[in-house]
Amino acid sequence: MSSLIKENANLQKQLQGANKQYYEDLLVYVRLNSMGKNERQTEEMLLGILQDILEAQQNGMPAQDYFGKDPQPIANELLKQLPNDAKQMVKISLLAVLTYFAVVFIGSYFVSLFQPGVPQLIDVGEYVICSICAGVSTFVILWLMGKNYGQKNSWKMLFTIGGIFVINCLLFVFVRTPWVIPLSRWMATVLATILAASVYLLNRDKNFGGDHGKKET
């Protein structure tokens, strides 16, 4: 997968003028809308489009003339042809949940360092509820970003995303359950380390759409 990403990044350097902007718009749109699609086939599709644009560029034909003025319709048609990948959805879900859990827990861990002798408390019910909500929110936000990419009324999307963020913050502040477990300093340290390592490894492998969550320029 990384070889496809690197090849794509290197070839993009050959794009000129409007072709560069055209492909970058298409690339971002595809990657935002490829949740649940096979990662490798998505990257191969993007690389194939880039190679076609470069070939047309060498023949003096702009990408807009080759693929059409708006890259989104052709991107939608190509995305429909890609197979769905349940494993991809599981990765995204797990990454979203673990990231939330890690950020909140590690934040609490560092605060507890200034309270020596006091065990760190972990509200298992709160973490489960808020992590699931954060995971669902991630899907909704990515879906909104994908569907509204390039649209003029982006303020509506931003307002909606802001509302989702506020809801998640309120859940974190107000949700409390009786399933509270005290952790000793060494247990909290081990758990914080495991969470940080898990998020790092998952993100390196996945990067929200595999390495295709990145935008190479």
Side-chain angles (χ1 to χ4, degrees), residues 126-199:
E126 176 196 357
Y127 276 96
V128 170
I129 294 171
C130 292
S131 295
I132 292 174
C133 289
V136 173
S137 297
T138 298
F139 278 105
V140 174
I141 289 172
L142 290 174
W143 180 82
L144 284 171
M145 292 175 64
K147 295 304 177 185
N148 290 277
Y149 181 76
Q151 300 297 319
K152 294 181 178 179
N153 295 327
S154 58
W155 65 269
K156 294 181 179 179
M157 178 192 69
L158 295 175
F159 181 80
T160 304
I161 291 176
I164 293 172
F165 178 77
V166 169
I167 290 173
N168 278 274
C169 289
L170 291 175
L171 286 172
F172 172 69
V173 172
F174 292 108
V175 171
R176 294 291 182 271
T177 74
W179 304 315
V180 179
I181 301 175
L183 297 179
S184 64
R185 176 72 63 222
W186 75 268
M187 291 176 63
T189 301
V190 170
L191 182 55
T193 302
I194 291 174
L195 285 171
S198 298
V199 170

Side-chain angles (χ1 to χ4, degrees), residues 12-208:
Q12 280 185 63
K13 298 174 184 177
Q14 301 178 29
L15 292 171
Q16 302 171 358
N19 286 345
K20 179 179 177 64
Q21 185 61 52
Y22 185 94
Y23 181 73
E24 287 180 351
D25 287 342
L26 185 145
L27 179 142
V28 174
Y29 182 81
V30 167
R31 288 177 171 172
L32 285 173
N33 286 278
S34 61
M35 284 191 303
K37 297 294 184 180
N38 183 275
E39 293 180 86
R40 175 165 292 278
Q41 292 190 30
T42 299
E43 285 303 324
E44 289 173 347
M45 179 192 78
L46 286 169
L47 185 58
I49 293 173
L50 177 55
Q51 291 169 337
D52 287 343
I53 292 176
L54 288 173
E55 183 178 350
Q57 179 177 276
Q58 291 177 349
N59 295 324
M61 180 182 294
Q64 288 189 351
D65 292 345
Y66 191 84
F67 282 107
K69 185 176 182 180
D70 187 355
Q72 293 186 11
I74 182 66
N76 287 331
E77 287 301 316
L78 292 172
L79 282 169
K80 290 178 182 178
Q81 299 174 20
L82 294 178
N84 294 322
D85 190 344
K87 187 184 296 185
Q88 172 82 345
M89 299 298 288
V90 172
K91 284 183 180 180
I92 296 175
S93 302
L94 185 58
L95 179 59
V97 170
L98 268 180
T99 299
Y100 175 87
F101 194 177
V103 169
V104 175
F105 181 82
I106 293 174
S108 300
Y109 171 75
F110 281 114
V111 171
S112 72
L113 293 178
F114 298 95
Q115 301 172 326
V118 179
Q120 183 172 349
L121 301 179
I122 175 171
D123 188 331
V124 177
E126 176 196 357
Y127 276 96
V128 170
I129 294 171
C130 292
S131 295
I132 292 174
C133 289
V136 173
S137 297
T138 298
F139 278 105
V140 174
I141 289 172
L142 290 174
W143 180 82
L144 284 171
M145 292 175 64
K147 295 304 177 185
N148 290 277
Y149 181 76
Q151 300 297 319
K152 294 181 178 179
N153 295 327
S154 58
W155 65 269
K156 294 181 179 179
M157 178 192 69
L158 295 175
F159 181 80
T160 304
I161 291 176
I164 293 172
F165 178 77
V166 169
I167 290 173
N168 278 274
C169 289
L170 291 175
L171 286 172
F172 172 69
V173 172
F174 292 108
V175 171
R176 294 291 182 271
T177 74
W179 304 315
V180 179
I181 301 175
L183 297 179
S184 64
R185 176 72 63 222
W186 75 268
M187 291 176 63
T189 301
V190 170
L191 182 55
T193 302
I194 291 174
L195 285 171
S198 298
V199 170
Y200 171 76
L201 292 173
L202 255 181
N203 191 60
R204 187 180 65 174
D205 178 57
K206 182 92 243 15
N207 263 329
F208 272 107

